[in-house]
């Protein structure tokens, strides 16, 4: 192997830069040339890539986002788009590709692998919805951001005796909401994996009021059938019955921004290095993730299209601890 390339794709995640840095420096350590592709699969299709040196990745570890840029690229979902990407890789004599990204990005990487091209994925998304790994790059930092917001909301909620519906990201996965709910001491959590009706949430808010609480926090996953706005609309006519006045806070992209925490820097470094080690061992068509505290490679067949259940221990805890 002489030349590899690395790209970041899909929603950016804090810690992606640590992964890029690790791929570049580990790759150079193997005696390979490492190319950085700009803006994910869009850049790949356009052949927008340059050789990276160890110095090019100096000082990026502590930066949020991705220095390579990221993109959603509908064209890559077409066979024509993927053939164009493959042509660019072959023209530049690049022999393998490391894809740092989430569910969709890894589905794209799997498609490339099935076209016969050597690809290794690095699990990276704040959603933690990727099978084949316990945790993905960015989740810890996103959780910390959600928690800081919840802690802040609690003080103003208490002052005004209000209930806050705090909506967090996660796409169709309730992991961020569940964990933020437990760690933030929420009165209720609304997740797509176990849907509840607004009436049930209303009962929980009212029960918190009757127990003498000065506020109620409900963490709502964006992917739930009733998101925070929809639940609030449901209460518009009968807020008085809840005891608390209701406010909605949607955290949105704030959760993806900012400085990666120590865990995500270490995870990014470990998984990025793991991707190069996998390629050096001759492995390909697999995702590099963290399973049971070990950097592990899992074949794409066991990752793509496979759903990842929420940890049942935490689902139970969320119900018990909200009392
Ligand atoms: P993430 O990787 O964060 O889950 P997306 O789902 O938006 O983000 O996927 C990122 C990109 O990966 C898409 O814009 C597209 O280029 C590519 N992609 C997603 N799904 C597929 C698929 N099923 N087949 C091929 N490429 C895909
Ligand atoms: O996949 C990461 C994520 O932040 C999801 O939680 C969210 O639904 C989505 O990306 C938002 O996408 P965009 O940045 O394109 O608005």
């Amino acid at each position: 192997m002489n030349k590899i390339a690395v790209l970041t794709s899909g929603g950016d995640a804090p810690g992606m830069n640590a992964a890029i840095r690790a791929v570049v420096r580990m790759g150079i350590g193997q005696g390979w040339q490492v190319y950085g592709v700009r803006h994910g699969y869009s850049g790949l299709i356009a052949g927008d890539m340059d050789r990276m040196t160890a110095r090019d990745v100096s000082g990026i570890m502590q930066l949020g986002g991705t220095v390579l840029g990221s993109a959603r690229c509908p064209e890559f979902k077409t066979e024509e788009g993927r053939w164009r990407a493959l042509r660019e890789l072959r023209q530049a004599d690049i022999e393998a590709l490391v894809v740092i990204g989430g569910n969709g990005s890894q589905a794209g990487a799997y498609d490339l692998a099935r076209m016969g091209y050597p690809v290794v994925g690095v699990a990276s998304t704040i959603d933690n919805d990727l099978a084949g790994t316990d945790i993905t790059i960015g989740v810890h930092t996103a959780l910390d951001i959600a928690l800081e917001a919840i802690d802040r909301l609690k003080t103003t909620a208490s002052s005004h005796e209000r209930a806050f519906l705090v909506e967090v990201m996660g796409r169709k996965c309730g992991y961020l909401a569940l964990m933020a709910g437990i760690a933030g001491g929420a009165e209720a959590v609304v997740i797509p994996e176990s849907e509840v009706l607004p009436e049930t949430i209303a009962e929980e808010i009212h029960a918190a009021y009757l127990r003498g609480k000065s506020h109620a926090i409900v963490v709502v996953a964006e992917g739930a059938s009733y998101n925070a706005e929809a639940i609030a609309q449901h209460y518009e006519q009968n807020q008085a019955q809840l005891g608390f006045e209701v406010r909605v806070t949607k955290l949105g992209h704030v959760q993806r921004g900012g400085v990666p925490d120590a865990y995500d820097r270490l995870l990014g470094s470990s998984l990025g290095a793991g991707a190069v080690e996998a390629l050096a061992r001759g492995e390909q068509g697999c995702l590099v993730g963290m399973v049971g505290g070990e950097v592990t490679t899992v074949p794409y067949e066991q990752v793509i299209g496979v759903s990842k259940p929420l940890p049942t221990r935490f689902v139970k805890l969320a119900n018990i601890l909200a009392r």
Side-chain angles (χ1 to χ4, degrees), residues 163-300:
F164 270 82
L165 302 169
V166 188
E167 187 174 298
V168 299
M169 279 189 163
R171 233 179 229 176
K172 281 281 153 205
C173 176
Y175 185 91
L176 273 181
L178 179 66
M179 295 307 184
I182 295 170
E187 275 61 41
V189 174
V190 182
I191 50 176
E193 290 82 355
S194 53
E195 294 285 2
V196 281
L197 292 171
E199 290 81 359
T200 313
I201 303 156
E203 280 165 23
E204 291 182 28
I205 294 173
H206 188 54
Y209 178 76
L210 294 178
R211 286 200 298 277
K213 294 203 174 192
S214 59
H215 65 251
I217 298 286
V218 180
V219 181
V220 185
E222 66 174 358
S225 328
Y226 288 94
N227 64 13
E229 204 57 63
I231 297 171
Q233 268 171 22
H234 213 83
Y235 301 154
E236 237 161 41
Q237 305 308 321
N238 54 359
Q239 273 211 19
Q241 289 167 21
L242 300 176
F244 297 113
E245 225 187 321
V246 175
R247 290 287 186 276
V248 170
T249 299
K250 188 173 169 176
L251 298 186
H253 291 82
V254 162
Q255 282 158 107
R256 280 206 335 232
V259 169
D261 69 7
Y263 184 90
D264 280 324
R265 295 183 202 192
L266 293 170
L267 185 65
S269 301
S270 303
L271 301 191
V276 171
E277 285 165 348
L279 285 171
R281 288 194 301 269
E283 286 182 54
Q284 50 177 278
C286 57
L287 179 76
V288 179
M290 190 64 81
V291 179
E294 299 288 335
V295 175
T296 310
T297 55
V298 179
Y300 272 135

Side-chain angles (χ1 to χ4, degrees), residues 9-12 16 41-42 70-78 82 100-109 111 114 124-127 129 171 304:
S9 165
D12 65 351
M16 275 184 162
Y41 292 127
S42 303
S70 191
R72 317 263 187 205
C73 173
E75 197 184 347
F76 196 75
K77 288 188 176 178
T78 67
R82 290 192 293 274
I100 303 170
N103 228 330
S105 305
Q106 303 306 337
D111 283 346
R114 282 186 295 186
S124 181
T125 163
I126 65 161
D127 301 336
D129 58 352
R171 233 179 229 176
I304 307 306

Side-chain angles (χ1 to χ4, degrees), residues 120-151:
V120 168
V122 170
S124 181
T125 163
I126 65 161
D127 301 336
N128 204 25
D129 58 352
L130 203 46
T133 184
D134 296 340
I135 193 82
T136 50
I137 296 167
V139 175
H140 265 245
T141 307
L143 255 181
D144 281 344
I145 295 167
L147 281 178
E148 195 199 333
I150 290 169
D151 290 346

